[in-house]
């Protein structure tokens, strides 16, 4: 039997692996209230705050998480989870990420009438342009070939097959009568941890930002996958959030005067959410991440179209 939700029959499912995906799901369900979906969270580690942030975002957005899974790739639990979807039938299958092996295999085993993808960072704009998971088994044997699908996305001008544009209408409604103070928010990333840049060079970029905004209070907000041992070296105020940045902003009683990040979707989403606050400057800080030139070029074009300024510094 299908689970009942109020007077509505639940015959759809959403698979989520990050707090930002859950935020996108909330906007989808708000704009399309005919879709009633059970929500499963599936993460591959308990060594960072991903699951905790997902649960905190769910609580803030008043979303019920039906089941939670922590599965390591190619472990016994991994295969048990995937095959548990065999013969399942859904009206809507909603996937929080495109290049996710668990989500892909589940989509091959279950049946559905409609497949909808949400945004997972910059992933959406890379589809059919490059494969960020090219070393994975799914990429080598299946080439990420899904059945016919559509996207509910913030990047509506960058991809075909649009189900709808996510304009964060629901979240925007929470931003009203906010004062803008003199703080600078620097949104970090797990670039050092991912081997995209050395700790020494990343620290030099942080110092450049500190020099430029030395008259303001600077707050560094680490990514959930950054390691404390690294960001403790930055000699800067550190703020650990319990949710994705967009939700953290919604909870604040004020707004910063500047939001800076490197290669981050949060710049684009901040521009959308804070469209009524022109006093808040949103800046992209350019870093040459080795091996990520194509992704950066694609993202830079998107930021330029949104009039988000890019700062280039030599170190």
């Amino acid at each position: 039997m299908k689970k009942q939700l109020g007077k509505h029959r639940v015959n759809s499912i959403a698979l989520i692996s990050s707090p930002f995906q859950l935020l996108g799901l909330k906007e989808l369900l708000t704009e399309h209230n005919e879709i009633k979906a059970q929500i499963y969270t599936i993460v591959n580690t308990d060594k960072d705050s991903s699951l905790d942030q997902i649960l905190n975002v769910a609580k803030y957005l008043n979303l019920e998480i039906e089941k939670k899974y922590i599965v390591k790739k190619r472990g016994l639990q991994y295969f048990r989870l995937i095959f548990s979807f065999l013969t399942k039938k859904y009206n809507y299958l909603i996937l929080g990420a495109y290049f996710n092996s668990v989500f892909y295999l589940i989509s091959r085993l279950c049946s559905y009438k409609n497949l909808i993808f949400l945004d997972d960072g910059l992933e959406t704009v890379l589809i059919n342009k490059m494969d960020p998971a090219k070393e994975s088994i799914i990429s080598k044997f299946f080439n990420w070939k899904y059945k016919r699908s559509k996207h509910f996305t913030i990047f509506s001008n960058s991809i075909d097959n649009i189900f709808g544009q996510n304009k964060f209408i629901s979240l925007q409604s929470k931003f009203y009568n906010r004062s803008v103070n003199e703080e600078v928010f620097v949104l970090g990333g797990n670039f050092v941890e991912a081997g995209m840049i050395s700790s020494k060079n990343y620290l030099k970029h942080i110092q450049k930002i500190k020099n430029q905004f030395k008259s303001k209070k600077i707050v560094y907000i680490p990514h959930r996958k950054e390691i404390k041992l690294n960001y403790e070296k930055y000699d800067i105020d550190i703020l650990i959030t319990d949710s994705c940045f967009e939700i953290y902003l919604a909870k604040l009683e004020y707004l910063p005067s500047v939001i800076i990040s490197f290669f981050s979707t949060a710049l684009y989403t901040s521009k959308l959410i804070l469209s009524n606050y022109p006093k808040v400057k949103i800046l992209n800080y350019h870093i040459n991440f080795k091996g990520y030139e194509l992704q950066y070029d694609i993202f830079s074009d998107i930021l330029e179209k949104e009039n988000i300024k890019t700062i280039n510094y030599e170190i």
Side-chain angles (χ1 to χ4, degrees):
M1 291 180 63
K2 299 294 184 182
K3 181 179 176 180
Q4 301 293 317
L5 184 63
K7 295 181 180 180
H8 300 280
R9 191 183 186 197
V10 177
N11 60 348
S12 301
I13 190 169
L15 306 182
I16 299 296
S17 60
S18 80
F20 183 70
Q21 296 170 24
L22 192 62
L23 179 57
L25 177 64
K26 174 65 175 183
E27 297 293 331
L28 170 67
L29 298 179
T30 300
E31 291 191 31
H32 296 272
N33 57 15
E34 74 277 9
I35 302 176
K36 311 296 176 183
Q38 289 183 291
I39 305 172
Y40 290 13
T41 65
I42 304 174
V43 297
N44 60 16
T45 181
D46 57 358
K47 297 186 183 300
D48 59 44
S49 63
S50 294
L51 182 56
D52 287 340
Q53 287 199 14
I54 290 172
L55 298 179
N56 288 332
V57 170
K59 183 177 180 180
Y60 181 78
L61 297 176
N62 195 29
L63 291 172
E64 179 185 354
I65 304 297
E66 183 70 22
K67 293 185 180 180
K68 302 182 290 290
Y69 297 96
I70 300 174
V71 293
K72 295 182 179 180
K73 291 183 177 181
R74 291 179 289 281
L76 180 60
Q77 190 179 12
Y78 176 92
F79 291 105
R80 281 180 176 172
L81 170 62
I82 291 169
F83 282 102
S84 70
F85 285 85
L86 188 64
T87 73
K88 296 289 179 65
K89 297 180 180 180
Y90 303 105
N91 185 9
Y92 286 92
L93 174 63
I94 304 167
L95 301 182
Y98 189 93
F99 298 104
N100 181 304
S101 63
V102 175
F103 294 177
Y104 177 81
L105 291 173
I106 288 173
S107 77
R108 294 292 295 254
L109 291 178
C110 69
S111 299
Y112 50 85
K113 294 180 180 179
N114 304 279
L115 175 59
I116 300 175
F117 286 101
L118 306 171
D119 289 320
D120 184 36
L122 298 175
E123 183 182 85
T124 303
V125 300
L126 302 180
I127 297 171
N128 297 326
K129 294 183 178 71
M130 65 170 300
D131 183 356
K134 60 184 178 182
E135 298 303 319
S136 70
I137 292 176
I138 303 301
S139 180
K140 292 178 179 178
F141 289 95
F142 299 99
N143 199 29
W144 302 101
K145 294 296 184 183
Y146 288 92
K147 297 178 184 177
R148 186 175 181 181
S149 61
K150 292 187 176 182
H151 297 263
F152 183 74
T153 175
I154 59 177
F155 304 111
S156 61
N157 295 323
S158 303
I159 191 166
D160 298 326
N161 302 322
I162 298 296
F163 183 78
Q165 183 178 8
N166 181 4
K167 298 181 179 180
F168 290 108
I169 294 173
S170 175
L171 190 61
Q172 269 190 331
S173 67
K174 301 180 184 298
F175 289 85
Y176 54 90
N177 295 330
R178 300 288 181 92
S179 61
V180 178
N181 70 10
E182 289 301 302
E183 289 188 3
V184 176
F185 283 178
V186 180
L187 311 184
N190 59 322
F191 311 117
V192 175
E193 292 76 6
M196 297 167 65
I197 190 173
S198 69
S199 177
K200 180 180 179 180
N201 284 338
Y202 189 55
L203 183 56
K204 288 180 180 179
H205 286 290
I206 298 296
Q207 188 59 51
K208 286 283 188 180
I209 294 173
K210 289 165 63 177
N211 292 342
Q212 181 180 358
F213 296 98
K214 56 187 175 183
S215 64
K216 297 178 181 287
K217 180 181 179 181
I218 302 175
V219 179
Y220 184 89
I221 303 177
H223 188 274
R224 65 184 182 277
K225 294 186 178 181
E226 282 188 80
I227 297 173
K228 183 178 180 181
L229 186 63
N230 288 330
Y231 60 72
E232 280 183 332
K233 302 174 185 176
Y234 302 157
D235 190 25
I236 195 172
D237 287 342
I238 302 294
L239 174 64
I240 306 297
T241 66
D242 64 357
S243 62
C244 56
F245 179 66
E246 295 80 5
I247 297 297
Y248 174 72
L249 269 186
K251 293 179 178 179
L252 283 180
E253 296 180 353
Y254 66 91
L255 294 172
S257 58
V258 183
I259 298 174
I260 298 176
S261 193
F262 327 82
F263 198 48
S264 172
T265 314
L267 295 173
Y268 191 90
T269 57
S270 296
K271 183 76 171 182
L272 290 176
I273 294 168
L274 302 179
S275 58
N276 293 325
Y277 291 89
K279 289 184 178 180
V280 180
K281 293 182 179 178
I282 300 173
L283 303 174
N284 178 44
Y285 190 101
H286 178 73
I287 297 178
N288 289 316
F289 295 117
K290 186 177 180 181
Y292 289 80
E293 292 81 6
L294 178 57
Q295 292 99 312
Y296 203 96
D297 287 343
I298 292 171
F299 188 50
S300 295
D301 288 342
I302 292 171
L303 294 183
E304 186 176 350
K305 291 175 182 176
E306 293 297 322
N307 295 315
I308 296 175
K309 183 179 179 181
T310 295
I311 300 174
N312 291 280
Y313 284 127
E314 296 293 333
I315 62 169

